[in-house]
């Protein structure tokens, strides 16, 4: 690409800086007022994404991007923008905010659901809220329990902290599906009278839910199990009569035996029998039972493939606040138990030290992602092979214990993952930034292109880097001259990255936002 000569990119004195500022003002005035770039779907789509990712984009521009930027739902948004999305006239925007925002307040959830006139959409929003364990005000619970849609009323039973009076009302609902949901999710809040009435309910599905709850305490006989056609829910969660449990333990259906292996009321000898089951998945379910001693757990033969089973065990998570339990479980022979311990936000120093020496590197990863007490040496070790996940995209690099000093010793390291860290050292220099901007390794040049000390000359040069990732981050560097940045905004291939540049004046950001909005008016948003 054509770029200005090197001398024009070196603001070495007050006069040059003043000239730079004046030239930039002329460039952006022309861009924002009359010299707007050629419009087209590729350009406007690129600007829409770039503006959503630009930390300098004003709230009013972000509001205008709702429904027009594919990147916007995934960003951390100001409360005013979320409020606008909740009340947006486009159903797709409202659905998107429910699907993507895990930080909606109770008031925002209430407005989103209760202001929705369409029954099906209101049901979908309530379903998402229940899945997210959204805590809604009691008045919202009461209104949902009286909703015209039976599907909405049934989902209301799944919401957390629903008052007993609301559950009781749902248990007498005219629709069987709602009464069944009340039984399934609110059974502990129902009194004996309500339970007796539900046991005699004319709807079979309601009676089935009642029986599933009753037989968590009293053994379920074969006659009940077979007459109601119970599947894995009963096998997994109900107390079973001995003969029935023995038969299920010998069942040829592997999935049914796996469900039985999770049953908390299973007799010890049947647990032992399933611990030597021919199916590895059945043995794995047995091996992670909370009621096994660590000696028993160690005797269950499992073959755990690397990189799988990333979900924490619920029963271990519940013990995260118990230091003694964490000490005991951190010494377990079972990697899934140790991985679940490593997910604790805080752990005693001796437990951290033990897990940091663990032979399972997934334990190290979980410790780096979740535990605030993870040591610097471990974090650096994980950094060599892990850059971040979707759930924790910035770990381990952003961990508060990640090393930030003494990194200049890596400036000449053969490993580029270590070499790039030298720029994080407070004693690193602008000269090192310039040197790394010409490094043979893409990731080192990429890191240099993000450094605020990078010169304008190097920022412009890196726009032509062989690596597209380096080009993109160079286009976001605040020292890219206005004339060059304006040119990048006019090219579909570079417009997205250029629109993320934090040095763009607010007037230009608003001008781009208006162009994006105007481009979407022809089709009009859906309702």
């Amino acid at each position: 690409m054509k770029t200005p000569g090197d001398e024009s990119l070196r603001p070495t004195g007050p006069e040059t800086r003043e000239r730079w500022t004046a030239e930039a003002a002329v460039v952006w005035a022309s861009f924002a007022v009359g010299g707007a770039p050629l419009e087209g779907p590729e350009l406007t789509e690129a600007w829409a994404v770039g503006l959503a990712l630009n930390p300098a984009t004003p709230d009013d521009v972000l509001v205008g991007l709702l429904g027009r930027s594919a990147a916007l739902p995934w960003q951390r948004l100001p409360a005013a923008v979320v409020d606008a999305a909740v009340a947006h006239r486009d159903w797709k925007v409202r659905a998107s905010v429910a699907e993507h925002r895990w930080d909606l307040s109770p008031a925002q959830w209430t407005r989103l659901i209760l202001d929705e006139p369409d029954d099906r959409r209101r049901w979908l929003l309530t379903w998402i809220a229940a899945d997210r364990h959204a805590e809604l005000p009691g008045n919202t619970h009461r209104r949902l329990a009286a909703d015209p849609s039976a599907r909405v009323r049934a989902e209301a039973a799944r919401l957390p902290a629903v008052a007993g009076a609301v559950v009781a009302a749902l248990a007498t609902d005219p629709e069987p599906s709602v009464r069944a949901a009340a039984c399934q999710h609110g059974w502990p809040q129902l009194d004996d009278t309500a339970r007796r009435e539900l046991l005699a309910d004319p709807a079979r599905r309601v009676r089935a839910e009642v029986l599933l709850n009753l037989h968590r305490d009293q053994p379920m006989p074969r006659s009940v199990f077979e007459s109601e056609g119970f599947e894995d829910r009963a096998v997994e969660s109900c107390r079973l009569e001995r003969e029935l449990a023995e038969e299920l333990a010998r069942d040829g259906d592997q999935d049914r035996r796996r469900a039985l292996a999770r049953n908390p009321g299973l007799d010890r000898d049947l647990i032992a029998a399933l611990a030597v089951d021919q199916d590895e998945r059945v043995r794995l379910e047995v091996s992670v039972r909370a009621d096994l001693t660590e000696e028993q757990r160690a005797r269950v033969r499992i073959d755990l493939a690397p990189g799988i089973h990333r979900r924490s065990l619920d029963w271990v998570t519940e013990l995260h606040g118990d230091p003694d339990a964490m000490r005991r479980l951190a010494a377990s022979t079972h990697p899934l138990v140790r991985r679940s311990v490593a997910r604790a936000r805080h752990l005693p120093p001796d437990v951290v030290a033990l897990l940091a020496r663990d032979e399972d590197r997934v334990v190290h990863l979980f410790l780096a992602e979740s535990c605030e007490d993870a040591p610097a040496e471990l974090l650096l070790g994980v950094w060599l092979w892990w850059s971040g996940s979707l759930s924790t995209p910035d770990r381990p690099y952003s961990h508060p214990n990640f090393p930030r000093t003494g990194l200049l010793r890596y400036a000449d390291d053969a490993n580029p993952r270590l070499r790039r860290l030298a720029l994080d050292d407070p004693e690193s220099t602008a000269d090192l930034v310039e040197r790394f901007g010409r490094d043979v390794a893409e990731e080192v040049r990429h890191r240099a292109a993000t450094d605020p000390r990078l010169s304008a000359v190097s920022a412009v040069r890196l726009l032509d880097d062989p690596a597209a990732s380096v080009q993109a981050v160079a286009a976001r560097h605040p020292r890219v001259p206005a004339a060059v940045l304006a040119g990048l905004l006019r090219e579909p291939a570079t417009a997205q990255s250029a629109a993320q540049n934090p040095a763009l004046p607010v007037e230009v950001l608003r001008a781009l936002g208006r162009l994006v909005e105007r481009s979407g008016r022809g089709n009009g948003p859906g309702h």
Side-chain angles (χ1 to χ4, degrees), residues 333-413:
T333 59
H334 203 299
L336 296 189
V337 174
R338 302 196 308 276
R339 292 176 189 181
S340 300
V341 172
R343 280 297 194 191
R345 184 173 182 182
H346 289 290
L347 289 167
D350 56 317
V351 175
V352 173
L354 179 62
L355 294 177
R357 299 191 301 270
D358 200 288
E359 62 184 14
D360 179 13
R361 76 176 192 169
V362 180
V363 169
H364 295 178
L365 172 61
F366 287 1
L367 203 64
E369 287 186 334
S370 303
C371 184
E372 298 298 315
D373 308 304
E377 184 178 357
L378 174 132
L379 295 168
L380 188 60
V382 172
W383 165 253
L384 292 177
W385 54 271
W386 189 259
S387 297
S389 63
L390 288 175
S391 57
T392 53
D394 52 353
R395 290 286 179 104
Y397 183 72
S398 69
H399 194 288
N401 294 342
F402 195 88
R404 302 297 174 192
T405 60
L407 300 173
L408 279 177
R409 69 182 185 273
Y410 298 127
D412 297 304
D413 198 279

Side-chain angles (χ1 to χ4, degrees), residues 171-226:
T172 59
D173 192 275
E175 283 292 331
S177 62
V178 179
R179 300 197 300 276
C183 292
Q184 182 178 353
H185 303 289
W187 183 258
Q189 295 168 275
L190 296 173
D191 59 25
D192 290 342
T193 301
R195 292 179 178 184
R196 284 194 298 271
E197 291 176 355
L198 289 166
L199 184 59
D201 196 280
R204 180 175 180 177
R205 63 187 299 183
V206 177
R207 296 195 305 273
E209 289 296 339
V210 174
L211 290 170
L212 284 169
N213 279 288
L214 289 175
H215 288 294
R216 294 181 192 278
D217 300 318
Q218 46 188 275
M220 177 181 286
R222 179 193 302 277
S223 58
V224 172
F225 182 82
E226 292 179 348

